[in-house]
Amino acid sequence: MSNGELVIQARDVRKVFRVGDVEVHALRGVSLDVRRGEFVSVIGPSGSGKSTFFHILGGLTPPTSGSIHIHGKDLRAMSEADRTELRKKEVGFVFQKYNLLPTLTAADNIAIARHIAGTEDGDDRQFREVLGLLGISGRLGHKPAALSGGEQQRVAIARAIVSRPSILLADEPTGNLDTENSAAVLALLRDLN
């Protein structure tokens, strides 16, 4: 365990969804500490609650009970506006289904993340380097429908890291990549960390 700053602290996180009259327990008392610089993997079978946990950790979905602290700030005590501001500045997401905007090009999908985070005037050299490492520089003018699943996934990763968030929550970031590209993406994520 690292002695660095505690970045994420989750305690006894529970999430219950109602499906008609049935309660579905997606999470049952999950606790986790993540310190600055740690690279943590959450592993489990499909349907075990990993995506739900990521959405809760990132402040997108409230837990039924338990607590989440990001950089010492209690997400449950924050207003929705404050949680949104925290996500814009501190949390990058790579969603399992990519969540790319279909009417925008790959470049625009990435640029919108920079705009939302207020980092448009950031380091373009570093930005181009990330695009090159992800192998999408030549595909930036294409809309998501014209990209393969792996290319869409790499655009989603670029969008998540372009603003250099302190936390990256990646839901199956290499799920649609071949072995070589999976290794490259994981190496890039470790390097950025």
Side-chain angles (χ1 to χ4, degrees):
M1 171 78 62
S2 168
N3 291 327
E5 170 194 354
L6 193 59
V7 178
I8 299 174
Q9 183 180 55
R11 289 290 176 267
D12 197 27
V13 176
R14 297 173 186 274
K15 184 64 178 180
V16 179
F17 293 101
R18 285 205 165 279
V19 180
D21 292 337
V22 178
E23 283 189 350
V24 177
H25 294 264
L27 297 173
R28 297 176 187 252
V30 179
S31 295
L32 172 75
D33 286 345
V34 179
R35 297 185 182 283
R36 180 171 302 286
E38 286 187 316
F39 195 97
V40 178
S41 295
V42 177
I43 300 169
S46 181
S48 64
K50 298 180 303 293
S51 295
T52 298
F53 189 47
F54 285 152
H55 288 148
I56 290 171
L57 287 178
L60 294 171
T61 302
T64 302
S65 64
S67 67
I68 303 288
H69 288 79
I70 302 292
H71 294 294
K73 297 174 185 163
D74 182 353
L75 292 186
R76 292 189 84 180
M78 297 172 82
S79 69
E80 181 57 40
D82 288 340
R83 279 193 304 276
T84 298
E85 196 63 26
L86 180 84
R87 282 191 302 269
K88 283 184 354 184
K89 296 188 182 316
E90 301 292 340
V91 183
F93 291 94
V94 179
F95 295 99
Q96 190 173 19
K97 302 288 186 207
Y98 320 129
N99 290 3
L100 299 177
L101 298 171
T103 59
L104 298 181
T105 64
D108 290 340
N109 265 285
I110 297 166
I112 200 167
R114 290 178 90 182
H115 175 73
I116 289 169
T119 60
E120 298 105 325
D121 298 329
D123 183 354
D124 282 335
R125 180 189 48 76
Q126 184 262 346
F127 174 66
R128 287 189 306 275
E129 182 179 322
V130 166
L131 296 178
L133 288 170
L134 288 170
I136 56 175
S137 295
R139 306 292 286 162
L140 294 178
H142 294 78
K143 292 183 179 176
L147 301 172
S148 71
E151 288 169 336
Q152 289 182 49
Q153 191 150 29
R154 286 179 276 162
V155 170
I157 291 167
R159 181 187 57 195
I161 64 177
V162 71
S163 298
R164 303 182 61 81
S166 63
I167 299 168
L168 178 64
L169 299 173
D171 195 354
E172 299 190 31
T174 61
N176 286 310
L177 302 178
D178 58 41
T179 303
E180 183 179 326
N181 281 317
S182 291
V185 164
L186 289 175
L188 173 66
L189 294 177
R190 282 193 183 97
D191 288 347
L192 290 169
N193 187 34

